[in-house]
């Protein structure tokens, strides 16, 4: 099938067929990340991708197609960033002062997790975190997570230091959320139960959630280009609970759960609405509907109409994934009658873009762990950030580099 799709990516006069191209690369990606592949299968896949890259990006369509690729990525990335409340942070990294750019340049080589001396680069890790730009946070994430997944002691030591330092400040440091995300990605993959690390994580996330809106406004104003809106009141709770579940730790216990229960008992409507959005990610995007059903119990006591509508919508979405479990919850009488009535006939929505977002991170980590070429390209891509004028020029350069790697041919001049 892959070979047949590869033949269809171009039509008459070599004109690119975008639907066939998308289907080809989706299938190639799913095959690439299947476990226990034979060497023959990997060689065949590489051969097919190489041939398609060469076929697609030959003259006269090369420049036009690259522009389309970059346009699509800029638009989709912009929408994802805006939906997270970070509307201007994507572009801000290209306008940072020289000192912040120096930290990014110094840190970029450590995206190759085999590079030695990472712990000594703590100054640059903190400098990148404090830059207040989304792509600067990505550099830290790609430098730390693969090292953590490789069980490198210096990565764990860096994360522990940052979690402790970020949590002890009043309010917590603006970058604490990024460090929590890094640690949660690692513990979710390893099903980590280390009491010290989990103690720091529970404390960090509970402090962020408990300090709404103080920490959230602190985060907003710390950004180099502050976004218009604050992060949600329950920001970060969903990934935290999903990681606890993966590690086999109790869900209805611990500092984060205590904050959730306390805010629900106080009737905090804004928190409830934001919390249900976090649980929606757990159910729909992390694909853990049964965990989501456990998490929503504190919200059953709300009689506020807006909360009940959000709860009904969430239960309807979970029902599409775990109908029998939702039926049992409804029959238990725990759900308000008004909510149970609203669920009937509720339109089922498609999964959000978050599922793609989380999967993309996982795929990127796997590439960095397994492929020397991917590590080399990652270093080059993020080393280019301080030298680029804007997000479009950086993405165009990045796309050219990746396509050259795929084709194993100099299709584009990247210099």
């Amino acid at each position: 099938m892959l070979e047949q799709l590869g033949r269809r990516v171009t039509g008459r006069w070599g004109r690119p067929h975008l639907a066939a191209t998308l289907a080809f690369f989706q299938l190639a990606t799913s095959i690439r990340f299947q476990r226990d592949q034979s060497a023959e299968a990997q060689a065949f896949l590489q051969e097919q991708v190489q041939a398609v890259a060469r076929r697609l990006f030959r003259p006269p369509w090369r420049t036009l197609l690259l522009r389309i690729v970059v346009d699509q990525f800029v638009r989709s990335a912009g929408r994802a960033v805006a939906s997270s409340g970070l509307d201007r942070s994507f572009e801000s990294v290209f306008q940072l002062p020289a000192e912040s750019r120096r930290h990014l340049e110094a840190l970029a080589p450590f995206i190759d997790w085999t590079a030695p001396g990472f712990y000594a680069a703590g100054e640059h890790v903190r400098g990148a975190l404090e830059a207040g730009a989304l792509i600067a946070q990505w550099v830290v994430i790609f430098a730390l997570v693969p090292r953590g997944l490789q069980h490198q002691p210096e990565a764990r030591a860096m994360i522990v230091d940052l979690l402790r330092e970020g949590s002890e400040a009043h309010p917590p440091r603006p970058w604490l959320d990024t460090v929590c995300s890094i640690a949660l990605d690692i513990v979710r993959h390893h099903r980590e139960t280390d009491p010290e690390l989990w103690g720091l994580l529970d404390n960090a996330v509970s402090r962020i959630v408990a300090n709404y809106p103080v920490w959230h406004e602190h985060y907003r104003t710390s950004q180099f280009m502050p976004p218009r809106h604050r992060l949600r009141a329950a920001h970060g709770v969903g990934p935290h609970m999903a990681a606890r579940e993966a590690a086999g730790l109790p869900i209805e216990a611990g500092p984060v759960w205590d904050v959730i229960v306390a805010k629900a008992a106080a009737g905090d409507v804004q928190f409830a609405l934001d919390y249900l959005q976090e649980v929606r990610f757990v159910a729909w995007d992390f694909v853990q509907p049964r965990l989501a059903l456990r998490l929503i119990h504190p919200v059953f006591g709300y009689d506020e109409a807006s909360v009940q509508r959000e709860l009904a919508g969430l239960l309807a979405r979970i029902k599409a994934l775990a109908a029998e479990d939702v039926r049992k919850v409804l029959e238990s009488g725990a759900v308000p009658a008004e909510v149970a009535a609203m669920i009937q006939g509720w339109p089922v929505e498609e999964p959000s873009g978050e599922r793609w977002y989380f999967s993309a991170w996982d795929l990127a980590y796997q590439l960095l762990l397994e492929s020397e070429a991917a590590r080399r390209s990652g270093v080059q891509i993020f080393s280019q950030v301080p030298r680029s004028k804007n997000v479009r020029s950086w993405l165009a350069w990045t796309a050219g580099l990746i396509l050259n790697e795929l084709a194993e041919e100099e299709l584009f001049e990247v210099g």
Side-chain angles (χ1 to χ4, degrees):
M1 183 183 291
L2 188 71
E3 191 172 11
Q4 290 174 353
L5 278 171
R7 293 196 191 105
R8 295 173 184 269
V9 297
T10 54
R12 194 177 182 186
W13 300 309
R15 183 176 181 178
H17 192 297
L18 296 182
T21 301
L22 180 61
F24 174 87
F25 281 107
Q26 285 177 333
L27 180 58
T29 301
S30 66
I31 294 171
R32 168 64 181 82
F33 291 100
Q34 287 175 359
R35 294 187 181 276
D36 303 320
Q37 276 189 352
S38 67
E40 292 80 6
Q42 292 181 24
F44 173 76
L45 177 61
Q46 183 174 345
E47 177 185 310
Q48 293 300 310
V49 170
Q50 183 183 96
V52 164
R54 288 175 174 172
R55 193 176 304 138
L56 276 171
F57 290 93
R58 63 187 178 188
W61 305 102
R62 172 184 300 177
T63 304
L64 175 62
L65 190 55
L66 180 64
R67 187 176 300 134
I68 291 171
V69 169
V70 173
D71 284 347
Q72 287 294 328
F73 193 86
V74 169
R75 278 199 292 268
S76 62
R79 284 194 298 269
V81 170
S83 70
S84 301
L86 302 173
D87 37 32
R88 293 187 288 172
S89 293
F90 199 49
E91 190 72 48
S92 64
V93 72
F94 303 99
Q95 301 174 37
L96 289 174
E99 181 65 13
S100 296
R101 294 162 84 91
R102 181 181 70 83
H103 290 306
L104 296 186
E105 248 180 323
L107 195 57
F110 291 103
I111 289 173
D112 180 350
W113 59 266
T114 67
F118 177 67
Y119 190 76
E123 170 202 351
H124 302 299
V125 171
R126 288 170 175 79
L129 287 170
E130 290 170 357
L134 189 62
I135 296 176
Q137 295 170 12
W138 291 0
V139 176
V140 178
I141 290 169
F142 282 129
L144 258 172
V145 173
R147 282 181 162 76
L149 295 176
Q150 288 294 104
H151 299 283
Q152 289 189 5
E154 60 182 3
R156 185 190 183 282
M158 178 75 74
I159 290 168
V160 166
D161 287 352
L162 290 170
L163 285 173
R164 188 171 284 123
E165 178 184 331
S167 297
E168 288 175 352
H170 299 282
R173 295 293 178 95
W175 43 257
L176 181 60
D177 170 63
T178 301
V179 180
C180 288
S181 297
I182 290 168
L184 289 170
D185 268 342
I186 295 167
V187 299
R188 180 168 57 88
H189 281 86
H190 285 325
R191 303 180 185 277
E192 179 66 66
T193 58
D194 176 2
E196 181 190 22
L197 187 56
W198 269 110
L200 290 167
L201 266 170
D202 285 337
N203 180 56
V205 175
S206 64
R207 289 214 62 212
I208 288 172
V209 178
N211 272 275
Y212 181 84
V214 177
W215 177 86
H216 303 69
E217 182 62 16
H218 186 37
Y219 176 90
R220 190 188 73 80
T221 56
S222 75
Q223 298 302 289
F224 185 66
M225 288 185 176
R228 288 184 289 271
H229 305 292
R230 290 192 292 256
L231 296 173
R232 291 190 299 268
H235 176 75
V237 170
H240 184 81
M241 289 304 190
R244 283 187 68 87
E245 172 77 355
L249 297 175
I251 298 302
E252 295 92 348
V256 178
W257 183 256
D258 291 344
V259 172
I260 293 167
V261 171
K263 285 184 174 286
D268 188 329
V269 172
Q270 185 60 57
F271 175 80
L273 293 172
D274 291 344
Y275 178 66
L276 288 170
Q277 284 295 314
E278 289 286 309
V279 177
R280 176 185 176 182
F281 292 150
V282 172
W284 207 240
D285 303 304
F286 281 111
V287 199
Q288 295 192 54
R290 291 176 180 84
L291 173 58
L293 282 174
R294 292 168 63 188
L295 293 175
I296 58 177
H297 276 266
V299 188
F300 287 166
Y302 279 81
D303 55 13
E304 169 68 32
S306 60
V307 176
Q308 290 193 341
R309 278 195 303 274
E310 193 67 32
L311 176 59
L314 176 57
L315 284 168
R317 294 181 188 104
I318 296 174
K319 186 178 177 182
L321 300 171
E324 183 63 18
D325 297 89
V326 172
R327 183 186 65 78
K328 290 178 181 177
V329 170
L330 294 176
E331 289 179 353
S332 72
V335 178
E338 299 89 343
V339 173
M342 280 190 277
I343 294 171
Q344 306 304 320
W346 194 283
V348 177
E349 296 180 16
E350 291 297 316
S352 73
E354 296 288 330
R355 181 180 294 179
W356 172 88
Y357 177 82
F358 292 124
S359 299
W361 282 107
D362 288 345
L363 295 182
Y365 299 149
Q366 192 171 346
L367 275 173
L368 290 172
L369 289 173
E370 296 178 358
S371 168
E372 182 181 348
R375 293 194 291 274
R376 183 176 62 248
S377 295
V379 170
Q380 291 176 285
I381 287 167
F382 285 98
S383 295
Q384 186 67 18
V385 169
R387 306 178 193 128
S388 299
K389 295 179 181 178
N390 52 47
V391 69
R392 182 173 295 276
S393 65
W394 177 61
L395 288 175
W397 188 94
T398 297
L401 177 71
I402 292 172
L403 290 166
N404 287 349
E405 287 283 346
L406 290 175
E408 295 185 1
E409 183 180 313
E410 197 73 14
L411 297 174
F412 298 94
E413 184 179 345
V414 293

